[in-house]
Amino acid sequence: MDRKTKRLLLLIASCSLTGVILGGTASWAESNLCLRADRVTSDCVTQDPIQKTIEGMSTGLVAGAGAALGVAWNLRHQD
């Protein structure tokens, strides 16, 4: 593997990991705020906070990988 490929993989991995952490944290916080609201909706009560967190983490993974690929694509075409 050449140096550029290693850098690209490192960029994708780090952005994906950051996306997973931020997505999971945001979903967890949102579900906690939803349950502490003055008016608790049926969506708050019926949805599992763990499932909501996993959905946020998967969305963050895709968003992070997409952002890394977008940056790499942009840098490649600027040269």
Side-chain angles (χ1 to χ4, degrees), residues 5-18 61 64-69 72:
T5 305
K6 287 181 182 178
R7 273 197 262 163
L8 176 64
L9 291 176
L10 182 61
L11 177 68
I12 292 172
S14 62
C15 288
S16 297
L17 180 64
T18 303
L61 175 72
L69 290 173

Side-chain angles (χ1 to χ4, degrees), residues 67-78:
L69 290 173
V71 167
W73 180 271
N74 192 15
L75 288 175
R76 182 177 175 203
H77 286 290
Q78 283 182 354

Side-chain angles (χ1 to χ4, degrees), residues 18-79:
T18 303
V20 166
I21 292 169
L22 290 175
T25 304
S27 293
W28 184 262
E30 183 182 343
S31 64
N32 283 340
L33 286 176
C34 185
L35 291 173
R36 292 180 185 170
D38 293 336
R39 290 185 177 178
V40 178
T41 62
S42 62
D43 290 337
C44 289
V45 177
T46 58
Q47 195 164 18
D48 183 24
I50 302 293
Q51 180 182 357
K52 181 116 173 129
T53 302
I54 292 171
E55 288 174 4
M57 291 170 76
S58 62
T59 303
L61 175 72
V62 172
L69 290 173
V71 167
W73 180 271
N74 192 15
L75 288 175
R76 182 177 175 203
H77 286 290
Q78 283 182 354
D79 291 337

